[in-house]
Amino acid sequence: MVAIQTRAEIQALLDQVFDPEIPVLTVTDLGVIRGVDIQPGLIRITLTPTYSGCPAMNTIEQDIRAILASTGCAVEIDTVYAPAWSSDWISDAGREKMRDYGIAPPEKDTHSKKVLMGADPTIECPHCQSTQTKLISEFGSTACKAMYHCDDCLQPFDYFKCI
Ligand SMILES: [Zn+2]
């Protein structure tokens, strides 16, 4: 007798897998889970990594395997690189959690297009919502983030870079 998990049960487990770099975000918030295929005795997860080469992805994959192992099903993880992950895939709930955590969430695509045109992005301070902020370093606590400083509340903060 092979147990068949429901999608809701699998989702509840995946919601307990957090991004090791931003521990308030689940893999669902990040938008890296592109598919969940449930068959008797087998769960197949389609995963799209965030930043390629981001060491966090190995941890995320291991955590997904570990948590889904509790179902007693075999777990397969297919990593797909196309379409490439975009910071637009971070859920609105995820953006809210990042702000609460003190990280400025990535700008939505209209802004990043402006950035591609050469304009500096306006990054809102996650502490006081001021837009009087400036870039201190392209690399914050990890390569995925840039470090900013707020001229109003004088606090530094990380900005999750758009890609
Ligand atoms: Zn501020």
Side-chain angles (χ1 to χ4, degrees):
M1 179 67 196
V2 179
I4 301 178
Q5 308 291 319
T6 68
R7 192 160 286 272
E9 285 167 346
I10 302 298
Q11 188 58 55
L13 290 171
L14 291 174
D15 284 345
Q16 296 170 43
V17 178
F18 292 91
D19 177 6
E21 295 194 347
I22 308 175
V24 291
L25 293 186
T26 69
V27 287
T28 310
D29 293 326
L30 273 175
V32 295
I33 305 282
R34 304 316 292 169
V36 178
D37 182 37
I38 304 163
Q39 292 166 22
L42 173 68
I43 302 165
R44 188 179 286 128
I45 301 290
T46 307
L47 190 71
T48 294
T50 51
Y51 296 83
S52 53
C54 209
M57 289 314 291
N58 290 330
T59 311
I60 286 175
E61 197 176 314
Q62 283 165 16
D63 288 352
I64 290 173
R65 285 183 188 283
I67 205 149
L68 293 182
S70 68
T71 63
C73 296
V75 178
E76 276 181 22
I77 298 182
D78 291 330
T79 305
V80 293
Y81 294 94
W85 182 84
S86 155
S87 46
D88 288 344
W89 293 2
I90 297 175
S91 68
D92 288 340
R95 286 166 197 274
E96 209 47 55
K97 288 185 206 171
M98 286 173 94
R99 210 171 280 124
D100 290 346
Y101 187 61
I103 297 174
E107 296 289 297
K108 293 262 194 175
D109 56 352
T110 45
H111 290 85
S112 48
K113 285 197 187 90
K114 194 175 77 186
V115 174
L116 289 176
M117 302 293 282
D120 282 336
T122 304
I123 308 302
E124 197 177 87
C125 171
H127 306 297
C128 70
Q129 280 73 52
S130 166
T131 52
Q132 300 301 311
T133 60
K134 61 173 179 280
L135 178 69
I136 299 175
S137 165
E138 277 293 342
F139 297 98
S141 53
T142 70
C144 312
K145 296 177 213 132
M147 189 178 281
Y148 275 73
H149 180 267
C150 175
D151 286 339
D152 276 326
C153 70
L154 305 177
Q155 292 203 66
F157 64 90
D158 276 338
Y159 168 61
F160 194 96
K161 290 187 226 170
C162 330
I163 53 166

